[in-house]
Amino acid sequence: MKQVDTLIVGFGLAGLAYAETLKLQGHSFHVIDQAQAGSSVIAAGIYNPTVLKRFNMTWQGEALHTAALPFYSAIEERLSKQFIFPHPIIKLFAQTAEHNQWMVASDRSGLSSYLDPKIYNNSILGVKAPLGYAKVKHCGRLDTTALIQAYKNCISAHLTTSSFEYSKLNITPSYLTYGEIKAKHLVFCEGYAMINNPYFKDVPLVGSKGQILIIDAPELKLETILKGPIFIAPLGGDKYWAGASFEQQDKSLNITAEGAKWIKDKIERMIDVPYTIEKQITHIRPTVKDRRPLLGTHKKYKNLHLFNGMGSRGVLTAPTAASWLFKHINGQEALPKEVNINRFEKKD
Ligand SMILES: Cc1cc2nc3c(=O)[nH]c(=O)nc-3n(C[C@H](O)[C@H](O)[C@H](O)COP(=O)(O)OP(=O)(O)OC[C@H]3O[C@@H](n4cnc5c(N)ncnc54)[C@H](O)[C@@H]3O)c2cc1C
């Protein structure tokens, strides 16, 4: 029997952030992750603490951003591989009225460190910007696919690639066992697949499907991320990530012709150089109605915990969420009430 402090189920950004937090705190862990890629692997990995549709900051944006970058760069250093690719975001204006809104927003505390107040009118090769554009600083892309794969390689002795079977879990008040693993705690980091978890079936995970295109555009020499009706982000070479749709009804993992058409239409409003589609992919973001993480402990089984609800901002949110959950599980600090799953429990 292998004995560890924590069994982690699921290894996307949430599972990785929790594993890294345990490692930094000297706690042992074992990971079970199925071969099917989660939403972390198709994400653009853009980190940006501002909301460019509404010209404001995301919830806890500054604090999450401050914690996330050193967290990932420490992993880069340890694994001797680059995962963070800083790129300014170019916000393409859709109406001239946005110029004034931008300048007002760029003067507001918090936003002022990210929004460059200048409105640019000069052209960018291959980009359609008839109403000008502005820049968001201190943003970029985390190569989530490479990070997760490299981390998995590094913990291969502590990783089982298989689907977790809930019926094989035995829980006692002081420990739990799953096959040959004995652990004090189990943290479920399953992304949208949490909807199949019988232990947390009452936690309201909504889920929003996102379809994306990977395109080849040899004449587009972008070193920045474009934000218009969608994001177009450079992946290196001539490849770009373009998306994503935000679909609330369809929760399947099927790509659709309508999804591809919707993205192509947006791409053609943003660039005027030829491109070819290399592939179309989709996954479900683990979104929550109140747009806050889902962290906490099962009401009856005190050694079962949940790490979910990373929404569409998993890159920035996961490191801080991992730290909150670790402190909660280890009795060091209560979870912020906005993220605790007990906010959904019926009050008697
Ligand atoms: C199209 C799209 C674009 C996005 N772009 C961005 C972006 O630019 N920036 C950003 O910050 N966020 C982005 N996101 C959101 C981001 O992907 C999520 O917030 C984050 O990846 C969620 O991570 P997670 O670890 O909770 O879930 P996941 O990444 O889905 O990982 C869950 C893991 O658990 C495994 N698993 C599930 N159930 C089981 C089981 N029973 N047994 C074993 N393993 C299991 C899955 O196989 C998977 O590996 C995007 C999402 C989508 C869909």
Side-chain angles (χ1 to χ4, degrees):
M1 182 82 51
K2 179 179 178 181
Q3 207 160 327
V4 290
D5 290 311
T6 304
L7 178 60
I8 298 174
V9 175
F11 204 73
L13 285 170
L16 183 146
Y18 204 69
E20 177 69 4
T21 302
L22 289 171
K23 180 183 164 55
L24 295 174
Q25 298 296 331
H27 288 218
S28 58
F29 60 83
H30 190 89
V31 174
I32 297 177
D33 185 66
Q34 63 197 13
Q36 192 191 11
S39 79
S40 302
V41 173
I42 85 142
I46 294 168
Y47 57 91
N48 161 33
T50 71
V51 186
L52 293 173
K53 220 193 272 174
R54 288 184 230 111
F55 302 108
N56 54 20
M57 289 293 276
T58 56
W59 176 74
Q60 300 260 3
E62 174 71 31
L64 300 181
H65 186 274
T66 305
L69 291 185
F71 183 90
Y72 296 118
S73 61
I75 302 176
E76 281 186 321
E77 218 162 281
R78 201 170 73 237
L79 305 190
S80 308
K81 195 166 172 10
Q82 184 179 3
F83 304 114
I84 303 171
F85 295 87
H87 297 288
I89 296 179
I90 299 286
K91 156 79 180 157
L92 303 172
F93 291 116
Q95 303 165 30
T96 40
E98 288 179 342
H99 293 183
N100 194 40
Q101 291 168 5
W102 182 271
M103 283 188 291
V104 171
S106 65
D107 205 27
R108 286 215 307 267
S109 92
L111 279 170
S112 60
S113 8
Y114 295 96
L115 304 190
D116 172 354
K118 191 169 169 203
I119 308 291
Y120 293 81
N121 286 301
N122 51 319
S123 60
I124 307 172
L125 187 69
V127 176
K128 291 182 182 171
L131 300 177
Y133 60 90
K135 290 183 188 169
V136 191
K137 301 176 282 182
H138 312 305
C139 297
R141 206 176 70 77
L142 179 74
D143 186 342
T144 50
T145 310
L147 170 65
I148 290 168
Q149 192 50 57
Y151 207 106
K152 277 182 165 178
N153 295 345
C154 172
I155 59 158
S156 59
H158 311 292
L159 170 71
T160 304
T161 304
S162 72
S163 185
F164 182 84
E165 291 178 49
Y166 304 101
S167 59
K168 293 191 178 161
L169 179 64
N170 293 306
I171 310 168
T172 77
S174 50
Y175 65 88
L176 45 89
T177 58
Y178 180 81
E180 287 303 299
I181 310 287
K182 181 175 177 186
K184 287 187 209 140
H185 298 281
L186 192 167
V187 178
F188 287 110
C189 306
E190 302 160 293
Y192 185 66
M194 185 208 101
I195 57 160
N196 304 316
N197 186 326
Y199 294 102
F200 290 98
K201 63 180 176 353
D202 295 331
V203 177
L205 183 67
V206 176
S208 313
K209 177 171 176 171
Q211 301 197 53
I212 66 136
L213 295 178
I214 304 293
I215 61 168
D216 243 291
E219 292 175 35
L220 195 63
K221 303 291 180 197
L222 279 184
E223 289 294 329
T224 54
I225 297 169
L226 287 185
K227 170 72 176 107
I230 55 168
F231 282 100
I232 299 181
L235 297 179
D238 297 329
K239 289 197 195 332
Y240 296 86
W241 185 103
S245 63
F246 222 93
E247 301 167 44
Q248 302 295 0
Q249 301 308 323
D250 177 8
K251 303 281 167 71
S252 75
L253 287 176
N254 302 327
I255 52 168
T256 64
E258 299 81 60
K261 186 180 171 309
W262 186 89
I263 302 166
K264 276 165 61 187
D265 175 59
K266 309 290 178 287
I267 293 174
E268 282 149 34
R269 280 160 57 187
M270 295 168 67
I271 63 169
D272 58 7
V273 287
Y275 68 93
T276 52
I277 296 171
E278 194 183 281
K279 59 180 165 180
Q280 179 180 357
I281 337 176
T282 188
H283 216 286
I284 318 282
R285 303 169 184 88
T287 50
V288 187
K289 207 166 165 204
D290 64 7
R291 299 209 186 105
R292 300 290 177 263
L294 295 172
L295 306 176
T297 297
H298 191 276
K299 221 174 158 185
K300 178 168 167 209
Y301 302 112
K302 298 301 174 197
N303 40 15
L304 294 190
H305 314 279
L306 189 71
F307 186 158
N308 212 302
M310 294 298 99
S312 51
R313 307 264 179 173
V315 171
L316 286 184
T317 312
T320 297
S323 162
W324 283 333
L325 186 64
F326 178 85
K327 288 179 186 158
H328 158 76
I329 291 174
N330 291 284
Q332 295 168 4
E333 222 173 275
L335 281 171
K337 61 181 184 326
E338 303 98 303
V339 303
N340 196 324
I341 49 173
N342 67 11
R343 70 191 184 274
F344 298 109
E345 280 170 15
K346 286 197 184 76
K347 308 272 181 279
D348 303 320

